[in-house]
């Protein structure tokens, strides 16, 4: 089946004075028309570098795309010239960043900033451009759009600024919207409003979304499929149900245990994932989670686990899913659990 956007075996490294950081290692995933795929993981897991590579935002040097393909609309984005990529950015793939205050130009009225995006990618003229910009302000749920068109970013609240960023990203009706931690800088109630807005606009415009987040609550609310990243690798991927109901990787278990469950009355301590992420200057040859994993076996340290299929579309890179590995219950019964 042909996917709308497909990332295949992506490897991205960065040259630094301290050595080469292997930030993204053999990452593959896809997005289909109209769906939301979340990429989750802690800071430094490689999720932002992955989507920045899709958008052609990795400076080379120090970045280097060592391997992989990013297939979109029948072409490999990694083979396009800067000019060709510029045409795709904004018109076919839009992006919303984490902090709207640093992404918006503080000296320019927001209406003009939306217009810039329209002008760069659409063939509208004169008043049509202004009308479209005002329409986008209305569409993202801001009242008095014609007046707001003439205001500067500092006259908007944080949530409103993020709505303007979404308006800029969606002004040209891109096929894919990449949202990199779009609600992290917002307080909880505003977060919910912005997520609802993105969901509504996605349905209205039939846009696909790649959502980068470290917040599993946001994933459950918004996505249909999830890729869990750790140490530059996708360690588990599946539908939201697969990941929340039948997770098959100890790192995913750790992420789920560190989220409060407000549906249960009993008071339960949240369990942090002890230890630190791997050093990506010299990542371990085996499973990157092994130093923090209480189920680690000899093979985990020696050999990188392949992606074991759990069910259709659900796979996990963990040796516990190898049919030759004893069942976890048996390991626990044998006193292996720490
Ligand atoms: Fe733990 Fe081994 Fe699975 Fe890695 S492969 S998560 S170390 S059990």
């Amino acid at each position: 089946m042909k996917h709308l956007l497909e990332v295949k075996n992506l490897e991205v490294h960065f040259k630094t004075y301290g050595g080469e950081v292997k930030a993204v290692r053999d990452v593959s995933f896809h997005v289909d028309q109209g769906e939301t795929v979340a990429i989750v993981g802690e800071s430094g897991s490689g999720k932002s570098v992955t989507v920045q590579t899709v958008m052609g935002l990795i400076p080379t040097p120090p970045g280097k795309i060592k391997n992989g393909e990013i297939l979109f609309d029948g072409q490999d984005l990694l083979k396009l010239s800067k000019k060709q990529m510029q045409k795709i950015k904004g018109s076919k793939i839009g992006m919303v960043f984490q902090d709207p205050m640093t992404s918006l130009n503080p000296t320019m009225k927001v209406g003009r900033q939306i217009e810039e995006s329209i002008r760069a990618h659409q063939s509208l003229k004169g008043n049509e451009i202004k009308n479209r910009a005002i329409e986008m302000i209305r569409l993202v749920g801001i009242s008095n759009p014609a007046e707001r068109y003439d205001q500067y970013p500092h006259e908007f609240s944080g949530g409103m600024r993020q709505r303007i960023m979404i308006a800029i990203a969606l002004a040209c009706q891109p096929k894919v919207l990449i949202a990199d931690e779009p609600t992290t800088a917002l307080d909880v109630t505003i977060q919910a409003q912005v997520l609802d807005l993105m969901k509504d606009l996605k349905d209205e415009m039939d846009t696909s979304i790649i959502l980068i987040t470290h917040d599993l609550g946001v994933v459950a609310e918004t996505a249909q499929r999830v890729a869990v990243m750790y140490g530059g690798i996708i360690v588990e991927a599946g539908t939201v149900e697969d990941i929340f109901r039948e997770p098959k990787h100890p790192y995913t278990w750790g992420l789920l245990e560190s989220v409060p469950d407000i549906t249960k009355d009993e008071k339960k301590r949240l369990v942090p994932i002890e230890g630190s992420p791997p050093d990506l200057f010299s990542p371990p040859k085996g499973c990157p989670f092994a130093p923090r994993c209480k189920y680690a076996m000899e093979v985990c340290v020696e050999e990188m686990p392949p992606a074991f299929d759990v069910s259709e579309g659900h796979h996990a890179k963990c040796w516990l899913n190898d049919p030759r590995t004893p069942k976890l219950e048996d390991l626990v019964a044998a006193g292996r659990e720490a």
Side-chain angles (χ1 to χ4, degrees):
M1 181 189 166
K2 199 168 156 261
H3 303 294
L4 178 60
L5 182 126
E6 186 169 16
V7 174
K8 281 182 168 178
N9 309 107
L10 187 66
E11 303 260 347
V12 185
H13 295 186
F14 288 91
K15 274 218 160 80
T16 71
Y17 287 118
E20 197 162 272
V21 181
K22 286 125 191 127
V24 171
R25 302 189 286 151
D26 198 21
V27 161
S28 300
F29 69 95
H30 68 266
V31 188
D32 288 325
Q33 179 80 37
E35 73 169 347
T36 299
V37 175
I39 305 182
V40 289
E42 58 198 1
S43 302
S45 59
K47 52 193 194 313
S48 288
V49 175
T50 301
V51 291
Q52 282 167 12
T53 311
V54 174
M55 281 302 275
L57 295 176
I58 297 296
T60 48
K64 187 158 176 46
I65 294 148
K66 301 283 267 196
N67 188 34
E69 290 176 315
I70 300 173
L71 304 173
F72 176 73
D73 253 359
Q75 45 191 351
D76 182 356
L77 299 186
L78 295 178
K79 295 211 169 94
L80 299 186
S81 66
K82 271 196 179 154
K83 207 168 162 198
Q84 288 170 317
M85 196 58 208
Q86 206 58 41
K87 271 196 182 158
I88 287 189
K89 274 195 264 180
S91 65
K92 295 194 172 161
I93 308 179
M95 187 150 182
V96 178
F97 296 91
Q98 187 179 125
D99 182 359
M101 204 50 196
T102 51
S103 310
L104 289 168
N105 181 344
T107 65
M108 197 177 188
K109 291 176 178 172
V110 297
R112 308 293 292 183
Q113 298 191 50
I114 301 172
E115 281 186 1
E116 270 198 343
S117 157
I118 299 169
R119 212 171 268 121
H121 302 291
Q122 284 192 0
S123 52
L124 299 179
K125 296 229 160 46
N127 256 354
E128 287 174 342
I129 299 175
K130 182 172 178 179
N131 291 341
R132 174 84 182 135
I134 293 174
E135 170 64 9
M136 285 313 298
I137 300 175
R138 188 195 60 74
L139 215 60
V140 295
I142 297 177
S143 51
N144 303 325
E147 281 167 40
R148 295 298 228 162
Y149 169 94
D150 271 324
Q151 291 182 328
Y152 290 91
H154 74 267
E155 295 176 83
F156 290 73
S157 65
M160 291 289 172
R161 283 197 289 267
Q162 197 53 296
R163 283 167 190 260
I164 293 294
M165 285 305 301
I166 293 171
I168 292 173
L170 291 179
C172 301
Q173 298 192 311
K175 290 185 175 175
V176 179
L177 177 70
I178 297 177
D180 189 358
E181 305 264 10
T183 57
T184 303
L186 307 174
D187 66 46
V188 181
T189 46
I190 308 297
Q191 268 186 19
Q193 288 172 14
V194 170
L195 288 174
D196 283 347
L197 170 71
M198 281 178 45
K199 263 196 279 181
D200 292 348
L201 293 176
K202 175 182 90 71
D203 294 343
E204 208 164 300
M205 299 183 172
D206 203 21
T207 303
S208 307
I209 297 181
I210 302 175
L211 177 70
I212 303 298
T213 182
H214 60 270
D215 185 335
L216 284 176
V218 168
V219 174
E221 278 283 304
T222 357
Q224 283 84 53
R225 286 192 301 112
V226 189
V228 181
M229 276 193 88
Y230 183 81
I233 288 173
I234 292 182
V235 292
E236 182 163 12
T239 63
V240 169
E241 260 118 65
D242 292 334
I243 301 297
F244 280 82
R245 287 179 199 268
E246 269 205 79
K248 292 291 183 188
H249 194 286
Y251 177 63
T252 315
W253 300 341
L255 283 183
L256 291 167
E257 277 178 3
S258 57
V259 176
D261 185 351
I262 55 163
T263 61
K264 300 216 168 103
D265 281 343
E266 82 228 48
K267 285 191 184 144
K268 202 178 145 224
R269 266 186 176 275
L270 296 181
V271 186
I273 304 173
E274 301 290 347
S276 337
D279 173 8
L280 292 181
F281 283 107
S282 56
K285 65 174 173 173
C287 170
F289 193 56
R292 302 169 82 180
C293 179
K294 63 180 176 182
Y295 307 106
M297 302 166 280
E298 219 167 281
V299 63
C300 306
V301 182
E302 290 302 320
E303 214 179 310
M304 175 74 84
F308 291 100
D309 286 330
V310 179
S311 58
E312 205 190 328
H314 181 193
H315 63 80
K317 285 188 176 174
C318 169
W319 286 114
L320 290 175
N321 298 289
D322 187 325
R324 294 168 297 177
T325 306
K327 290 262 166 292
L328 191 56
E329 306 82 83
D330 300 338
L331 289 176
V332 173
R336 286 224 42 183
E337 196 181 24

